[in-house]
Amino acid sequence: MKVFLTGGRGMVGRAIQDHSAAAEHQIIAPTSSDLDLTDRDAVRSAVEAEKPDLVVHSAGRVGGIQANMANPAAFLADNIHMGFNVVLAAQAAGVPKLLNLGSSCMYPHDAPNPLHEKSLGKGELEPTNEGYGLAKMAVARLCAFVSQECADLSYKTLIPCNLYGLHDKFDPKVSHLVPAIIRKVHEAKQAGAGTVEIWGDGTARREFMFSGDLANGVWAGVTGFDTLPETMNIGLGYDYSINEYYQEAARVIGWEGAFTHDLTKPTGMKQKLLDVSAQTEFGWSPATSLQDGIARTYAHFLDLLERGEA
C-alpha cells in the first residue's frame, strides 16, 4: 500500500515510520522544506502526483500551554490550513482512505471525564489551547463531511491523548509537559539544585501516552480500517497527576531534591482522561509503562545533548 504521511519529521510521524509495520508499505513523507502544507495548490499537486492508497495526516503546529497562550491565532490558522489542504487534496485526488490525527484539546473544557466521543462539539473549549482545539475539531468534521458526501471515500479521525516520546521537543518555549519535566529535572540534577518548581498545585491529572504506542495504534487502524469507527479516542484509559509525572521523572533521572509549587501559574483543565471503550471494542491497547516510556525518552534526550541538538 502507498501511504502519504504528513508530519513525517515530527515525533508522531517518525514513530509511525520507525514502527515495524512501516516496512510493509511504501511511505511518502515529504518534509516541510519539500512541501508547505499551508500552500493549497502545492498540497493538491503533491497528492495528485503520488496517488496514494491512504493518507495519514499527523502534521501540525504543536506546543505546550505557554506556546498556545502566546500564539492562539497561529495555532488556529496554521492547523486549519494544513488540515483542510490535506483533506481536500485527498478528496480531489480520489484517495479512498484517510486517517486524521486529532487531539484531546477538541473536547469541551467542562465535558465529563472520561471524555467520550459523544461529547465532541457540545461545549466551549479550554481557553489555554482554544485555537489549536478549534482547528483540530474543524478538520475532524471536514473528514466526516467528506465521507458523508462521497460514498467511495472513507476519512476517519483518531483522537490521541497527550503524547511524549522520542524526537519530542525539549525546548521549554514549545515543549509539552513530559519533555519539559525531563529537561527541568535533568538540569536540576546537573546543577545540584535542591528544588524544582511545578506550575500550580500539581494535582491536575493528565493522560500521557508514549509515541511508540500511538504509532502502533495508527498501524492497527490502517490494518483494521474498515472496522475503525469514524471518530475514536486512542489512549491509556487512566491518568496521573502532574506531581506524579515529576516524581517518576525524578526516579528515572536519579534526582533526589524536593518540589515546590507556584500557585500563580495556570494548570489548565483539572483532568483530561479519554474514554477508551471504543478503542477496547476495536481491539487495541497501549503497552508501554510510564517508567519505561520516560526512561526511553530520557535516554533520547541525553543523546540529543551529546550531539548538541537539545
Side-chain angles (χ1 to χ4, degrees):
M1 180 187 297
K2 180 185 279 193
V3 178
F4 191 97
L5 172 68
T6 68
R9 297 299 296 167
M11 175 180 67
V12 172
R14 289 188 182 193
I16 290 171
Q17 294 178 87
D18 290 343
H19 193 276
S20 58
E24 302 172 14
H25 305 278
Q26 178 186 358
I27 299 179
I28 310 300
T31 66
S32 57
S33 58
D34 297 327
L35 178 62
D36 178 2
L37 294 179
T38 65
D39 184 331
R40 180 183 60 185
D41 292 338
V43 175
R44 180 166 293 200
S45 296
V47 174
E48 176 61 36
E50 294 296 346
K51 292 182 169 38
D53 302 296
L54 168 77
V55 169
V56 177
H57 178 47
S58 73
R61 181 179 182 130
V62 298
I65 290 178
Q66 292 185 70
N68 272 271
M69 292 176 67
N71 303 284
F75 274 88
L76 173 60
D78 288 353
N79 285 296
I80 277 188
H81 286 317
M82 285 188 272
F84 275 34
N85 289 345
V86 170
V87 173
L88 295 176
Q91 179 188 23
V95 178
K97 298 178 181 179
L98 182 146
L99 194 56
N100 169 54
L101 296 188
S103 166
S104 59
C105 297
M106 294 161 57
Y107 281 101
H109 73 90
D110 58 354
N113 280 268
L115 301 167
H116 193 279
E117 292 89 346
K118 66 184 179 183
S119 294
L120 290 167
K122 295 183 178 178
E124 295 182 358
L125 302 180
E126 165 60 32
T128 56
N129 49 32
E130 182 182 8
Y132 181 74
L134 281 171
K136 287 294 186 179
M137 187 64 193
V139 177
R141 294 307 300 148
L142 178 61
C143 288
F145 292 153
V146 169
S147 296
Q148 289 173 20
E149 293 179 9
C150 307
D152 56 338
L153 305 183
S154 182
Y155 293 1
K156 301 181 179 182
T157 295
L158 293 178
I159 304 177
C161 63
N162 294 313
L163 302 168
Y164 72 98
L166 311 188
H167 309 293
D168 212 335
K169 296 181 179 180
F170 295 90
D171 182 344
K173 299 186 188 70
V174 297
S175 60
H176 287 99
L177 179 71
V178 174
I181 289 174
I182 288 173
R183 181 165 208 133
K184 284 173 67 176
V185 174
H186 169 79
E187 290 178 348
K189 179 182 179 181
Q190 294 301 107
T195 61
V196 164
E197 181 183 270
I198 298 174
W199 277 25
D201 62 11
T203 61
R205 303 189 68 82
R206 291 292 181 270
E207 178 185 12
F208 272 88
M209 182 169 65
F210 187 63
S211 58
D213 282 340
L214 175 60
N216 183 270
V218 167
W219 285 116
V222 170
T223 301
F225 192 89
D226 291 342
T227 60
L228 192 68
E230 178 185 275
T231 304
M232 187 181 84
N233 290 335
I234 182 164
L236 304 176
Y238 55 88
D239 56 14
Y240 299 93
S241 71
I242 303 300
N243 287 329
E244 288 173 321
Y245 283 108
Y246 273 93
Q247 291 160 6
E248 189 58 50
R251 279 192 288 269
V252 169
I253 293 170
W255 178 74
E256 299 180 348
F259 296 109
T260 62
H261 295 85
D262 183 349
L263 301 181
T264 68
K265 300 294 187 181
T267 56
M269 298 168 67
K270 292 302 290 182
Q271 187 180 35
K272 281 177 64 177
L273 175 63
L274 296 183
D275 182 309
V276 295
S277 55
Q279 167 188 295
T280 301
E281 185 175 350
F282 176 68
W284 181 85
S285 62
T288 306
S289 69
L290 180 62
Q291 180 180 7
D292 288 347
I294 289 180
R296 292 172 65 182
T297 305
Y298 181 52
H300 175 69
F301 173 64
L302 292 178
D303 184 56
L304 291 178
L305 283 178
E306 186 175 342
R307 300 203 308 261
E309 298 176 9

